[in-house]
Amino acid sequence: MFPPRVRSSSPWRPAAAVVALAVLLSACATLPQRGQVVMRDVAFPLRDFRFPSGLRVVVEQDTRSPVVAVVAVVGAGGSSDPGGKEGLAHVVEHLAFRARHAGGPSVWTRLEASGAGHYNASTSLDYTSYETLGPKESLPVLLKMEGQRLSAPLAGVSPEVFAVEREVVRNELRQRNETGYVGQVFSWMHASAFPAGHPYARPIIGTHETLSALTLSDAQRFARAHYRPENVTLVIAGDVDLAAVEATLRQNLPEAWVGTGAPLALEPRLPAQATAPSIAPPQKSVPVYAAAVPTPEVYLSWVLPRGFEEASAVHDFVRATFSQGLWGAQRSDGDIAGISTDLIPGTRASLLVVRVTLSRGDDPARSAGKVLDQVQNAWAQEIQAGGVLGREFDFQAMRRQVVTGMVLESEDLLFRTERRALLTHFTQDVRSYTRSQMALMALGGGNVTDFSYQWLQRDRARIIVVRPGETPGAVAASLPAIADEAPSSTPAERVTASMTAALESPVHVLKLDNGMEVLLVPRPGLPVVRVGAALGGGWSHGAKPGVADLANWGSFRESWFEGRPSDWGLHTSGSFRRDHLRVGISGTAGNVGNMLAMLAEQLDSTRTSEDVVRYYREQVLPWRRAVDTYPEVLAERHLQTALYGAHPYGREASGEDLAQVSWTEANAWIEDVYRPANTVVVIAGELDVKEVEGLARKYLGGWSRGKPTPVAVPPAPELPAAPSSAKALLTPRPGASQAQVHLACRLPTATPELEARYALMASLMSGAATGEMRSRRGATYGFHAQPWLGRGGAAHLVVEGAVDAQRMAEGIATVRDALSGFAKQVSERDLERARAQLLASQAVSFITAEAWVNALLTARVRGFEPEAVTRRPALLKAVTAEALRQEFEGCLKRLVVSITADEGQARSAIQAMSQP
């Protein structure tokens, strides 16, 4: 027998992942001129394997961090579901994590044991994808496990496990419905956009009726039909040895999936000639649905040609620029509070979606018409020469931002791997990722105008309206808990050397004469730089409730002498938090000087005005008042007050508070917060430290504004006295099919050492609550725990999740039992397991410049030294089981339970909670 043959590229053949935009400038006295995006070319070496079985494996080498990404694409999604069995592909995706091969532990447990720091999966219209990030040492283990999961996704899945996981999916459907977008609203959009009977008109996640009717044999038939090597593409990227990877593949993938003989000739997954996408008939009336949204919403959608090919690059361009072009609708319609866009690609068609949030919903048709007017204005031809020139100028600015965004996204190893996997799978061309980037760069204004004229016509839009209300959910199934699963290895085996090496980056600290602190983090490998600034304050700061919120919402940059972000394709960001605010700017490495000059001007010239405040009161405040009545918002407000009382961190401004704030008060808040001594800046990415230090001193050091001291740090509030029983808060939500449950407690004043303890507490609680209520009982989509730490050392832990309303008491009891158990004893095994999970998670998180910016800003806001970030592995290793037990004991004594649910069911749960 001849040995199996693999057709592969040379291990030294590069494939460009980021396309050059210009030649990298050396250090120079002048900044790049407007319109000059400056970066060097980047290419990642590839190997391309086409196995005789039909399996396609692509390997990309990226040695920036000791991490590997493994992404598998299976060419079957919601459109592959048999009629009447909608949701089947998604259920199989869930079950693939519960598979047990050769009598061993589940894939989920093995992923954890492998040291994987991130693992997830998703089901779309035409595909299911599995994604994993782990330390580079784990690649053989991850490949072996992935090969087994893909070749036998339901191995060892019993009827009992199937029933529990199906109930988990039904909880996911309930939870997504009650958050108002991804679940049922997604299905309504598709049903309105595509004709009845079209594969895309059906709900990917299914309905309670179709999910309840599914059986294990249905799932097994689906897996046999679609989980085949010729229907799978596997992409591996990261710190991989390309010369040795072929042997690694052969040793760890199933023999049948490698195959023998000549490579299998695959049928095209995208026909050579695209057919015109089908669209639903014109609407005689606009459908109106009810969902758990705080205010009415309008969804507009357009059916576009298929995705996953070079020609669909224009889809990405339109999506990225749509929000900016629709801003005029919000100005002209007093009921529109916000607009966002999304793009859903498919092999038969794609869907462009515009979500419009309304304040009152008095006339949704009018608001939709205002959006349609702006869409038409975006592509309507100009007759005047000046108009044509202005349109071309705007297009070039948008293209710079879209192309730079493409480069910034490529910095994310997992995003790039997923994108390459999808494009390679459907085009069967490993070069399609680079070609899609080239096609995006080559777009001209005429291309976009012609596309919009053809596909974004007014009569092609389909509209639905979603009003506040409850979507009834089917009755939850009562299932016996299945047996717990023992870990597959000792926790110590999960910790690898690269988990700690991932945070070994130098951090250079500058203290400018104006009092500002600047941190420089060189991260070579991709020609991008990200800059972030944090200013102490946030919405808890200010003598008057609501002044901070209004100041932040109404703030704007008054001066643009240094140019606008679009002049260099720069991307800006901002966030407003309880104890501080952040602003950021990102772009290509050669434009770092432009970024710092613009950031300094922004910080120096931020103001507000009476006109902006008036606009807020007239157009946004009605929406804000409506949001104030939303049960989740009320519950969060009550929980913070219960935790912090009269402390500033216990304060949540309402719309009524904002109505009492004047523009002069808001402007005074800005003047108080925007000062150099109250600001820390982090610059991370591909940079020359000496050069950027000079630029920082020149531009940031020249900023002088306000007092020469930081904003006063709120004193750490004292821990509350232990009550006789847990404090219970109830926020009614009539008819809710799920209960939103929060269990929280105040923690002692935080230090870097204590932060490590709190992170481990959250990891232990997440694992215990989710393992019991999801994996064993199927009563929730999942629980999540996290600590919150603020300026001045305030800290609390919160455990939250959504549980079947009828099993509310069971869910609360389970979380409390876990807390009580850890308050009595934290076993060494549980501690090591949680420690390994955190080390793995942070190792795969620090692979982008953005992650370093965020981590260092967070540390400095908390008052921690920069070394707290790089020392975190050591801090985690120093935590003892007894120290954790004591923290849990204190937490249990200060416990607050918040429930958002139907009042009758919630009161019964609270009564049960008070029983001994």
Side-chain angles (χ1 to χ4, degrees):
M1 179 182 294
F2 291 103
R5 292 187 294 168
V6 178
R7 188 171 70 190
S8 64
S9 66
S10 165
W12 299 280
R13 174 184 170 186
V18 180
V19 183
L21 301 180
V23 178
L24 182 66
L25 295 181
S26 59
C28 55
T30 59
L31 299 181
Q33 298 178 354
R34 281 177 170 81
Q36 190 176 12
V37 180
V38 186
M39 62 172 283
R40 63 176 177 81
D41 193 8
V42 175
F44 294 107
L46 290 179
R47 290 196 69 177
D48 180 16
F49 299 89
R50 304 187 186 194
F51 287 95
S53 65
L55 175 67
R56 183 78 171 274
V57 181
V58 178
V59 186
E60 175 191 282
Q61 186 180 58
D62 177 0
T63 59
R64 291 176 300 141
S65 295
V67 173
V68 291
V70 178
V71 174
V73 173
V74 180
S79 63
S80 304
D81 290 339
K85 298 185 184 295
E86 286 78 14
L88 181 56
H90 184 226
V91 169
V92 171
E93 171 223 307
H94 273 243
L95 291 171
F97 284 91
R98 307 294 292 264
R100 296 172 178 246
H101 301 96
S106 69
V107 168
W108 192 293
T109 300
R110 292 169 64 195
L111 280 165
E112 180 185 307
S114 72
H118 168 86
Y119 39 91
N120 206 346
S122 62
T123 304
S124 189
L125 295 170
D126 300 303
Y127 67 87
T128 303
S129 68
Y130 298 90
E131 60 186 48
T132 308
L133 278 171
K136 65 178 184 179
E137 300 93 339
S138 67
L139 180 59
V141 175
L142 292 178
L143 276 177
K144 189 176 187 63
M145 183 217 61
E146 196 64 72
Q148 291 175 330
R149 170 164 62 176
L150 293 169
S151 61
L154 303 183
V157 173
S158 66
E160 292 77 16
V161 169
F162 173 85
V164 166
E165 199 62 34
R166 181 181 57 187
E167 197 63 20
V168 169
V169 174
R170 292 181 65 204
N171 275 290
E172 181 180 3
L173 175 59
R174 294 186 187 98
Q175 184 168 331
R176 290 184 171 189
N177 282 351
E178 296 187 0
T179 56
Y181 183 23
V182 179
Q184 195 66 51
V185 175
F186 182 95
S187 302
W188 294 331
M189 286 190 304
H190 277 251
S192 71
F194 296 99
H198 192 284
Y200 291 176
R202 302 183 298 158
I204 292 176
I205 197 170
T207 66
H208 285 292
E209 292 73 23
T210 62
L211 290 171
S212 298
L214 297 180
T215 65
L216 179 55
S217 60
D218 291 330
Q220 291 168 337
R221 280 192 293 270
F222 186 94
R224 283 196 297 270
H226 299 288
Y227 281 67
R228 308 185 316 272
E230 67 271 24
N231 198 34
V232 172
T233 299
L234 186 65
V235 176
I236 303 159
D239 197 354
V240 181
D241 184 348
L242 289 184
V245 74
E246 182 175 345
T248 304
L249 293 173
R250 291 183 179 281
Q251 291 167 7
N252 293 286
L253 292 176
E255 184 177 351
W257 277 50
V258 174
T260 59
L264 183 68
L266 301 178
E267 294 294 327
R269 293 176 178 134
L270 291 176
Q273 295 296 324
T275 58
S278 300
I279 184 173
Q283 293 174 312
K284 296 179 181 179
S285 61
V286 176
V288 180
Y289 301 96
V293 293
T295 64
E297 298 182 355
V298 176
Y299 292 83
L300 300 91
S301 60
W302 287 263
V303 174
L304 307 181
R306 70 188 185 189
F308 307 118
E309 60 180 349
E310 290 177 47
S312 63
V314 68
H315 302 184
D316 297 313
F317 186 94
V318 170
R319 175 195 58 80
T321 59
F322 227 40
S323 295
Q324 180 180 348
L326 298 180
W327 170 244
Q330 190 166 351
R331 288 200 308 265
S332 62
D333 188 305
D335 198 20
I336 297 179
I339 299 177
S340 59
T341 61
D342 196 8
L343 177 68
I344 304 165
T347 59
R348 298 172 176 87
S350 299
L351 196 67
L352 181 66
V353 178
V354 176
R355 180 187 188 182
V356 184
T357 304
L358 305 178
S359 295
R360 301 173 302 278
D362 297 335
D363 190 347
R366 180 201 66 216
S367 300
K370 294 292 186 180
V371 174
L372 291 171
D373 290 342
Q374 292 300 313
V375 173
Q376 183 168 349
N377 290 340
W379 55 257
Q381 298 287 349
E382 293 278 359
I383 303 300
Q384 301 86 358
V388 173
L389 291 174
R391 184 175 295 277
E392 180 61 22
F393 178 85
D394 290 342
F395 172 78
Q396 293 299 333
M398 288 189 292
R399 186 169 72 170
R400 284 192 292 270
Q401 288 196 293
V402 170
V403 172
T404 305
M406 172 189 71
V407 178
L408 292 169
E409 288 175 337
S410 297
E411 186 194 17
D412 187 320
L413 178 66
L414 185 57
F415 174 89
R416 198 174 72 239
T417 308
E418 289 176 321
R419 183 73 172 162
R420 187 184 294 283
L422 287 172
L423 290 172
T424 301
H425 181 82
F426 288 111
T427 66
Q428 301 180 41
D429 182 359
V430 72
R431 298 167 296 177
S432 59
Y433 179 67
T434 301
R435 286 178 171 175
S436 69
Q437 293 181 319
M438 295 290 291
L440 191 60
M441 292 182 62
L443 284 176
N447 302 124
V448 178
T449 299
D450 291 345
F451 175 87
S452 301
Y453 183 82
Q454 181 176 2
W455 299 105
L456 300 181
Q457 291 280 359
R458 200 181 194 96
D459 61 357
R460 288 184 59 83
R462 298 295 180 264
I463 304 170
I464 67 170
V465 175
V466 181
R467 291 193 174 276
E470 293 298 332
T471 304
V475 176
S478 180
L479 302 173
I482 60 176
D484 200 2
E485 184 178 343
S488 64
S489 64
T490 59
E493 295 173 359
R494 304 170 186 160
V495 179
T496 66
S498 63
M499 287 184 183
T500 56
L503 274 68
E504 293 176 355
S505 279
V507 178
H508 303 267
V509 182
L510 305 178
K511 194 71 174 180
L512 305 184
D513 293 339
N514 60 4
M516 182 190 296
E517 182 179 76
V518 180
L519 309 180
L520 306 179
V521 188
R523 297 286 297 169
L526 271 178
V528 300
V529 169
R530 297 183 185 266
V531 182
L535 292 81
W539 73 68
S540 62
H541 176 68
K544 189 174 184 178
V547 65
D549 298 72
L550 186 62
N552 179 71
W553 190 95
S555 64
F556 60 88
R557 176 177 166 179
E558 194 172 45
S559 170
W560 297 90
F561 179 79
E562 295 291 349
R564 297 179 181 273
S566 59
D567 294 337
W568 294 277
L570 304 177
H571 286 236
T572 59
S573 62
S575 62
F576 191 52
R577 311 188 186 191
R578 189 177 302 276
D579 59 346
H580 71 286
L581 64 90
R582 296 188 187 189
V583 294
I585 187 165
S586 305
T588 52
N591 296 104
V592 62
N594 302 108
M595 297 182 218
L596 297 180
M598 291 185 66
L599 176 63
E601 186 176 32
Q602 176 183 354
L603 294 171
D604 187 57
S605 68
T606 295
R607 302 285 190 276
T608 191
S609 71
E610 190 171 7
D611 289 340
V612 171
V613 171
R614 185 183 303 114
Y615 174 87
Y616 180 89
R617 286 175 177 163
E618 293 174 354
Q619 189 148 330
V620 181
L621 195 55
W623 169 82
R624 176 63 183 262
R625 283 172 168 150
V627 170
D628 283 342
T629 66
Y630 197 43
E632 273 76 1
V633 173
L634 290 172
E636 176 63 22
R637 184 172 297 156
H638 297 156
L639 179 61
Q640 287 298 134
T641 302
L643 289 171
Y644 290 100
H647 189 274
Y649 290 158
R651 184 169 63 191
E652 298 271 358
S654 66
E656 289 303 321
D657 291 329
L658 272 73
Q660 306 305 315
V661 178
S662 69
W663 79 269
T664 54
E665 291 171 322
N667 206 57
W669 186 93
I670 293 173
E671 291 297 326
D672 183 40
V673 169
Y674 280 74
R675 37 176 144 153
N678 191 46
T679 305
V680 59
V681 173
V682 179
I683 309 168
E686 190 166 82
L687 54 87
D688 179 275
V689 172
K690 289 186 177 180
E691 178 186 352
V692 175
E693 179 180 345
L695 292 169
R697 293 189 183 280
K698 177 179 179 180
Y699 293 106
L700 299 177
W703 175 35
S704 59
R705 181 180 182 180
K707 301 175 184 177
T709 57
V711 167
V713 178
E718 294 183 2
L719 290 176
S724 57
S725 62
K727 186 174 184 179
L729 308 174
L730 169 60
T731 305
R733 185 173 184 170
S737 63
Q738 283 187 320
Q740 302 287 334
V741 176
H742 292 72
L743 287 87
C745 64
R746 285 279 313 285
L747 298 170
T749 302
T751 64
E753 291 74 17
L754 287 177
E755 187 278 333
R757 291 188 195 178
Y758 301 160
L760 284 165
M761 291 173 71
S763 180
L764 285 165
M765 285 302 304
S766 293
T770 296
E772 181 65 26
M773 289 303 295
R774 171 178 170 152
S775 300
R776 296 192 63 227
R777 301 174 186 259
T780 179
Y781 183 51
F783 270 88
H784 176 68
Q786 62 180 359
W788 182 86
L789 282 67
R791 294 180 77 226
H796 68 266
L797 177 72
V798 61
V799 187
E800 57 185 299
V803 186
D804 288 336
Q806 299 180 43
R807 304 177 72 176
M808 191 188 321
E810 180 184 348
I812 296 171
T814 296
V815 180
R816 285 195 66 185
D817 288 347
L819 273 171
S820 300
F822 290 133
K824 294 176 182 176
Q825 180 185 20
V826 175
S827 71
E828 290 295 336
R829 187 178 191 86
D830 284 341
L831 170 58
E832 293 305 324
R833 184 177 181 180
R835 192 174 358 240
Q837 288 175 334
L838 282 178
L839 288 170
S841 177
Q842 72 178 14
V844 302
S845 298
F846 280 79
I847 56 179
T848 65
E850 183 178 22
W852 279 93
V853 169
N854 288 332
L856 286 166
L857 287 179
T858 297
R860 296 305 291 133
V861 164
R862 293 171 174 172
F864 301 167
E865 294 300 318
E867 291 76 15
V869 174
T870 55
R871 289 178 52 232
R872 196 160 188 264
L875 295 174
L876 289 171
K877 291 179 179 180
V879 177
T880 66
E882 175 57 22
L884 281 181
R885 188 202 64 76
Q886 293 177 14
E887 299 295 350
F888 275 115
E889 184 179 34
C891 177
L892 190 63
K893 293 177 180 178
R894 299 182 290 269
L895 191 62
V896 178
V897 180
S898 172
I899 305 170
T900 306
D902 183 87
E903 187 170 4
Q905 293 174 317
R907 292 201 181 281
S908 299
I910 291 174
Q911 185 177 6
M913 184 181 72
S914 63
Q915 301 299 319

